Amino acid sequence: METAAKQLQPWKGIINQYARYLPVSDATPVITLCEGNTPLIPATNFVEAIGGKFELYLKYEGLNPTCSFKDRGMTMAMTMAKERGAEVVICASTGNTSASAAAYATRANMKCVVLLPNGNIALGKLAQALLYGATTVAIEGNFDDALRIVIELGETGKVEVVNSINPARIEGQKTASFEICDQLGRAPDFHFLPVGNAGNITAYWKGFKEYYSVKKADRLPRLFGFQAAGAAPIVDGAPVAQPNTVATAIRIGNPASWQGANNALKESKGHIAKVTDAEILAAYKQIAQTDGVFVEPASAACLAGLIKCHQAGMIPEGSVITATMTGHGLKDPDNAIQNAGFEPTIVEASKEAVMKVIGL
Ligand code: F0G
């Protein structure tokens, strides 16, 4: 049916935009919330503040429909699940995957079950899973425990797993690399991103390579990934039994796409390192207060990493750098309020009282 929306909204989501690079056909029942097309924001003040002589652009994935990059993978995973006739989808999550799965499952008229590590989910993400109507199970364990259970449940054949072990997720997420190249008019020299379960670094590398191979990008970037110091299995070379970090999104001790990350790092001549919670929170605050970009702590891990790389002289002058801001800061209001460094001043309701406080 011809609808008015065809006129009103030229952007119809990443599957419509990049169909020729995705495993879909004209008959595929696309499940979309019009995700993607997120801005690439120049972070000039941040670069100046750290004394950098390079260009930095933030791929602000917090502006996706459920406020994280997961929507790119979820439109594909849910579309493929629908095409196969699945009725129930399931995922383990540190919060964003569950929010996205819950929204897209609703859209697809499918039942959604999410397994979360009890007590270690940012408030906004929990709110999303509940409001979208997912069956929300908080397990007394961490993300790695939840993913193990989900994989076991997937083996029963009764549920469709929509974690990034599902290849459709990687296919969808690779479109962020396409958008970056389309927006910049070239590929960056470096791409920075946080690493948790390692699906995204795997997807970005696949995307950059594919765009390069069809000559839509002029070069291949080096991928620089960052883990939180208390949850850095790839950096340390061994699973972490009790991962811990303020950046709950990447509180993961045994990443499912470890091999994918290793390939991306090796093939792109990349780099992976860890950053402390203090460094993450400092970068988190800095990017909000220099450039007005509010991200969640996990996203800021790669900015903390950029500061360190810059200080170590690893970034040549004139480099073009992109960095994925994986999730919106409003996902985690507790961390924002605790770390802002400012508190509201409470005064009586008079002009004089306000003038006194603001120094007029
Ligand atoms: N940043 C945010 C905000 C995330 O939510 C995640 C992962 C990552 C970075 C790391 O990406 O896992 O592909 O390496 N969140 C998953 C979740 C684990 O359940 O929402 P990754």
Side-chain angles (χ1 to χ4, degrees):
M1 193 182 72
E2 277 293 310
T3 59
K6 275 205 174 136
Q7 299 278 321
L8 291 173
Q9 193 179 47
W11 184 270
K12 301 188 188 74
I14 58 120
I15 296 181
N16 177 73
Q17 186 71 15
Y18 295 110
R20 84 186 76 143
Y21 306 104
L22 296 169
V24 291
S25 73
D26 289 347
T28 304
V30 176
I31 309 296
T32 180
L33 280 161
C34 305
E35 60 295 310
N37 199 22
T38 56
L40 195 60
I41 306 174
T44 34
N45 295 337
F46 179 86
V47 174
E48 200 184 313
I50 67 169
K53 300 243 175 330
F54 49 79
E55 294 173 41
L56 172 64
Y57 301 89
L58 306 178
K59 184 64 173 157
Y60 194 25
E61 291 287 89
L63 292 189
N64 275 299
T66 77
C67 308
S68 86
F69 72 96
K70 304 289 180 178
D71 294 343
R72 295 180 185 274
M74 213 49 80
T75 181
M76 272 304 294
M78 218 56 79
T79 293
M80 299 281 94
K82 190 79 185 165
E83 195 164 44
R84 277 196 291 273
E87 288 172 4
V88 186
V89 295
I90 189 166
C91 65
S93 182
T94 56
N96 281 326
T97 299
S98 56
S100 187
Y104 283 80
T106 293
R107 197 91 184 154
N109 283 319
M110 284 192 259
K111 189 171 153 58
C112 180
V113 181
V114 303
L115 265 65
L116 310 173
N118 192 25
N120 279 297
I121 296 291
L123 195 62
K125 304 174 188 178
L126 182 60
Q128 287 178 294
L130 296 173
L131 193 76
Y132 292 132
T135 302
T136 303
V137 185
I139 64 154
E140 289 171 343
N142 59 31
F143 170 84
D144 304 290
D145 299 317
L147 185 57
R148 178 177 39 79
I149 297 167
V150 160
I151 290 171
E152 284 168 22
L153 290 170
E155 283 161 3
T156 65
K158 293 189 177 141
V159 292
E160 176 95 6
V161 176
V162 292
N163 280 104
S164 57
I165 51 168
N166 180 332
R169 281 276 313 278
I170 304 295
E171 290 299 310
Q173 284 172 211
K174 77 184 181 189
T175 62
S177 300
F178 299 168
E179 280 181 25
I180 286 173
C181 297
D182 289 345
Q183 289 168 315
L184 269 183
R186 52 165 281 181
D189 298 311
F190 296 86
H191 184 77
F192 278 60
L193 78 177
V195 176
N197 212 25
N200 216 27
I201 189 168
T202 305
Y204 266 83
W205 183 235
K206 189 167 197 287
F208 282 127
K209 276 197 304 189
E210 286 183 14
Y211 237 36
Y212 180 72
S213 74
V214 296
K215 300 195 165 46
K216 287 282 216 171
D218 58 336
R219 70 196 78 201
L220 286 167
R222 297 177 65 191
L223 294 200
F224 275 38
F226 295 88
Q227 301 198 288
I234 301 178
V235 181
D236 294 341
V240 176
Q242 304 289 343
N244 210 6
T245 167
V246 67
T248 53
I250 51 172
R251 189 173 175 273
I252 294 174
N254 192 12
S257 297
W258 197 320
Q259 193 53 49
N262 281 346
N263 288 347
L265 292 165
K266 190 165 154 246
E267 289 179 19
S268 77
K269 299 185 182 58
H271 175 70
I272 188 153
K274 50 188 172 182
V275 284
T276 65
D277 279 3
E279 289 166 338
I280 290 172
L281 290 173
Y284 166 70
K285 204 165 122 175
Q286 191 165 13
I287 196 62
Q289 296 181 4
T290 55
D291 284 284
V293 180
F294 188 15
V295 301
E296 59 175 291
S299 312
C302 73
L303 295 177
L306 175 58
I307 293 171
K308 279 178 118 167
C309 290
H310 167 58
Q311 285 167 351
M314 291 165 72
I315 312 291
E317 220 171 275
S319 297
V320 172
I321 303 176
T322 51
T324 315
M325 298 296 103
T326 46
H328 201 292
L330 285 172
K331 294 260 190 184
D332 194 348
D334 295 320
N335 261 314
I337 290 168
Q338 276 166 34
N339 296 292
F342 298 105
E343 278 182 19
T345 310
I346 301 163
V347 297
E348 63 171 50
S350 73
K351 186 178 95 186
E352 291 71 27
V354 174
M355 283 177 76
K356 197 165 162 214
V357 162
I358 63 178
L360 282 184

